[in-house]
Every structure is written in structure tokens, then in C-alpha cells.
Amino acid sequence: MIMTMTAVEAAAGPSAGAPAVPSGRKKKDHKVRRVLLTILLIVLITGAILVCMSAMYIKNVIIPQAGLDMADYTANLTTTMLYKDPHSSKGEYVEMQTLYAEENRVWIPLDQIPENLIKATVAIEDKRFYDHHGVDWVRTCRGILNMFTGRKIVGGSTLTQQLIKNLTQEDDITVQRKLMEIFRALDLEKKYDKDELIEYYLNAVFFGRNCYGVEAAAQTYFGKSISECSLAECASIAGITNNPSRYDPFVS
């Protein structure tokens, strides 16, 4: 009797001991998979279309306007009035007054700017300045990721990109301007070497109190030429650009 029961159960198969899956549930799972596959296909097609449209926009609109030449921009320089010292036996000329409108700028060549100031500026503003070709893709991608995840957006602009802002005076927050800035930076670094770019940047950037460029900043804050500034003074000047009103040496 026991052997007969076992044989019958074996013949009945595994379904005899387990509940059968309802056919309605199978249809539901199949429908869900079809919906998910459809959504995925729509996302892929939409993404492909957007990529193609973006590529055409960049090719036809951004790249033709991305050319930039520093020679086309003239920096406003401070006028220095001198007078001949009547008490000097050598007839030396002495500074009487400096004249400027909104920008107090005294241009100084790179070889007269302390190496400490150059290194400090690169370390603070763009530590991969000598490695990238105008755009730091690591910082750029991190900034985009932070934007989409709601985190604090830290500036991803390189020194080259910041120089472009100073040259063009364009700082509106739009995707078009950012794309234009990226392609301009790539183009600018093909035309100029790193020394030329850092020299122009250090003579163009704002340091508070109408000071543009490191020479005007050194004369205003420390009463001397930047070439005479100490390591601490150079560090102080380099840090001003992050927040000119907060890191003003006269205030802090």
C-alpha cells in the first residue's frame, strides 16, 4: 500500500505537492516587463536624439563663436603722473599722483611676480592648471553631479576659464555661456602657453578696492611692489580672489 501511494505521487510530478502559479499572475509579470522595456527604449531613443541635437548645436553655434584672442582685449591701465624732484642733484622723477577710473591696474611682467605668489594662486584656484588643456574635466563633472544631486556646487572653472570671464565680462548663468566658455578655454590654450595665461590672469583678476592685478593690490595693501612682497604677503594677496570683501587685508 505504501509503495502504491509513493508511485502515484511520483507520477503526479512536483506540481502535486506545491501550489500552482496562477495564470493571471504570469500575465501580470509579463505585462510589467513589457512596460519596463518600453520605458527603457523610450529613454534610450530620447537620449540619442538629445545627444545628436546637442552635437549639432555645438558644431553650428558654439564652435564658430568660440575663437578668442587676448590681443583683441585692451586692459585699462592706471596713469602715473611724475614730477622732477627739485631737491635731487640727479634730477630724479618722483611719483606725484596716480589716475584711474574704475580699474586701478599696473601691468607687471611674469618674471617680476614672485614664484610663491604664482604657486599659491595655482594651489588655491586651479591645482591642475599645468596639466589640463583649459578645462579640468574632473572638477567640471563633479560640479554637474553636485548640481543634479542637490549638493553644494563648488566652482569648477579653471584659471583659463576665469581669465575668459575677465576678458569678455560675461558671467550670466546659462548653459550656452558655460559651453562657450569651455570651448573658448580649449581654443585659448592652443594659442598661448601657460606662462602667458597666468601672467594675463594675475594682471586682470579683481583684488578688491578697485585693484585689478597683483601689482595694484600689493601697492594698495602693502605699499610696495609685488616683487618686494614677502611669502606671507603673497599668500594674503592670493587668497583675496576667493572673496575680496571677506579677505580684505585691511579688514581681516
Coordinates of all heavy atoms in Angstrom, one line a residue, residues 17 29-31 39 47 62 74 84 89 101 104 110 122 127 131 159 179 202 206 220 235 242 245:
G17 N 2.6 18.6 -5.1 CA 2.9 19.0 -3.7 C 3.1 20.5 -3.5 O 3.4 20.9 -2.4
D29 N 3.1 39.7 -14.6 CA 4.6 39.9 -14.7 C 5.0 40.2 -16.1 O 6.0 41.0 -16.3 CB 5.2 38.6 -14.1 CG 5.0 38.4 -12.6 OD1 4.6 39.4 -12.0 OD2 5.2 37.3 -12.1
H30 N 4.5 39.5 -17.0 CA 4.9 39.7 -18.4 C 4.5 41.1 -18.9 O 5.3 41.8 -19.6 CB 4.1 38.7 -19.3 CG 4.5 38.8 -20.8 ND1 5.8 38.5 -21.2 CD2 3.7 39.1 -21.9 CE1 5.8 38.7 -22.5 NE2 4.6 39.1 -23.0
K31 N 3.4 41.6 -18.4 CA 3.0 43.0 -18.8 C 3.9 44.0 -18.2 O 4.3 45.0 -18.8 CB 1.5 43.2 -18.3 CG 1.0 44.5 -18.7 CD -0.5 44.7 -18.3 CE -1.1 46.0 -18.7 NZ -2.5 46.2 -18.3
I39 N 9.6 51.6 -21.5 CA 10.2 52.9 -20.9 C 11.7 53.0 -21.2 O 12.1 54.1 -21.5 CB 9.9 52.9 -19.4 CG1 8.4 53.0 -19.2 CG2 10.6 54.0 -18.7 CD1 8.0 52.8 -17.7
G47 N 17.4 60.0 -25.3 CA 18.8 60.3 -25.0 C 19.6 60.5 -26.3 O 20.4 61.4 -26.5
I62 N 28.1 77.0 -31.2 CA 29.1 77.3 -30.2 C 30.5 77.4 -30.8 O 31.2 78.4 -30.6 CB 29.1 76.2 -29.1 CG1 27.8 76.1 -28.4 CG2 30.3 76.4 -28.1 CD1 27.4 77.4 -27.7
T74 N 41.9 95.1 -24.6 CA 42.9 96.0 -24.0 C 42.6 96.3 -22.6 O 41.4 96.7 -22.2 CB 42.8 97.4 -24.8 OG1 43.1 97.2 -26.2 CG2 43.8 98.4 -24.2
K84 N 59.6 116.2 -11.5 CA 61.1 116.2 -11.3 C 61.4 116.8 -10.0 O 61.0 118.0 -9.7 CB 61.8 117.1 -12.4 CG 63.3 116.9 -12.5 CD 63.8 117.6 -13.7 CE 65.3 117.3 -13.9 NZ 65.9 117.9 -15.1
S89 N 69.9 116.0 -6.7 CA 71.0 116.5 -7.5 C 71.1 115.8 -8.9 O 71.7 116.3 -9.8 CB 72.3 116.2 -6.8 OG 72.4 114.9 -6.4
A101 N 40.1 105.2 -13.6 CA 38.6 105.4 -13.5 C 38.1 104.3 -12.5 O 38.1 104.5 -11.3 CB 38.0 105.2 -14.9
N104 N 42.0 100.1 -11.1 CA 43.4 100.5 -10.8 C 44.3 99.3 -11.1 O 44.3 98.3 -10.4 CB 43.5 100.8 -9.3 CG 44.9 101.2 -8.9 OD1 45.7 101.5 -9.7 ND2 45.1 101.1 -7.6
L110 N 55.6 88.7 -15.9 CA 55.6 87.5 -15.0 C 56.9 87.3 -14.3 O 56.9 86.8 -13.2 CB 55.3 86.2 -15.9 CG 55.1 84.9 -15.2 CD1 53.9 85.0 -14.3 CD2 55.0 83.7 -16.2
V122 N 47.9 79.1 -8.1 CA 47.5 77.8 -8.7 C 47.0 76.9 -7.7 O 46.0 76.2 -8.0 CB 48.8 77.2 -9.4 CG1 48.5 75.8 -9.9 CG2 49.2 78.1 -10.6
K127 N 44.6 73.7 -9.1 CA 45.8 73.0 -8.8 C 46.2 72.1 -10.0 O 47.4 71.7 -10.0 CB 45.5 72.1 -7.6 CG 44.5 71.0 -7.7 CD 44.3 70.2 -6.4 CE 43.2 69.2 -6.6 NZ 43.1 68.4 -5.3
D131 N 48.5 70.9 -16.0 CA 48.2 69.6 -16.5 C 47.1 69.5 -17.5 O 47.1 68.7 -18.5 CB 47.9 68.6 -15.4 CG 49.1 68.4 -14.4 OD1 50.2 68.4 -14.9 OD2 48.8 68.3 -13.2
L159 N 41.7 78.4 -14.2 CA 42.3 79.8 -14.3 C 42.0 80.3 -15.7 O 41.8 81.5 -15.9 CB 43.8 79.8 -14.0 CG 44.2 79.6 -12.5 CD1 45.7 79.6 -12.4 CD2 43.6 80.8 -11.7
L179 N 29.0 76.5 -22.0 CA 29.6 75.7 -23.2 C 30.5 76.6 -24.0 O 31.6 76.1 -24.4 CB 28.4 75.2 -24.1 CG 27.6 74.0 -23.6 CD1 26.4 73.8 -24.5 CD2 28.5 72.8 -23.5
L202 N 47.0 87.1 -13.7 CA 47.4 87.8 -12.5 C 47.4 89.3 -12.6 O 47.4 90.1 -11.7 CB 48.8 87.4 -12.1 CG 48.9 85.9 -11.5 CD1 50.4 85.5 -11.4 CD2 48.2 85.8 -10.2
F206 N 40.4 90.6 -10.1 CA 40.0 91.6 -9.2 C 40.4 91.3 -7.7 O 40.2 90.2 -7.3 CB 38.5 91.8 -9.2 CG 37.9 92.8 -8.2 CD1 38.3 94.1 -8.3 CD2 37.0 92.4 -7.3 CE1 37.8 95.1 -7.4 CE2 36.5 93.3 -6.4 CZ 36.9 94.7 -6.5
T220 N 48.5 98.8 -3.0 CA 47.3 99.3 -2.2 C 47.4 98.8 -0.7 O 47.2 99.5 0.2 CB 46.0 98.9 -2.8 OG1 45.9 99.5 -4.1 CG2 44.8 99.4 -1.9
A235 N 50.8 85.3 0.0 CA 49.7 84.4 0.4 C 48.5 85.2 0.7 O 47.4 84.7 0.3 CB 50.1 83.5 1.6
N242 N 39.2 84.7 -3.6 CA 38.1 83.9 -3.2 C 36.9 84.7 -2.7 O 35.7 84.3 -3.0 CB 38.5 82.9 -2.1 CG 39.2 81.6 -2.7 OD1 39.0 81.3 -3.9 ND2 40.0 81.0 -1.9
S245 N 35.8 91.0 -0.4 CA 35.3 91.7 0.7 C 35.6 91.0 2.1 O 35.9 91.7 3.1 CB 33.8 92.0 0.6 OG 33.1 90.7 0.6

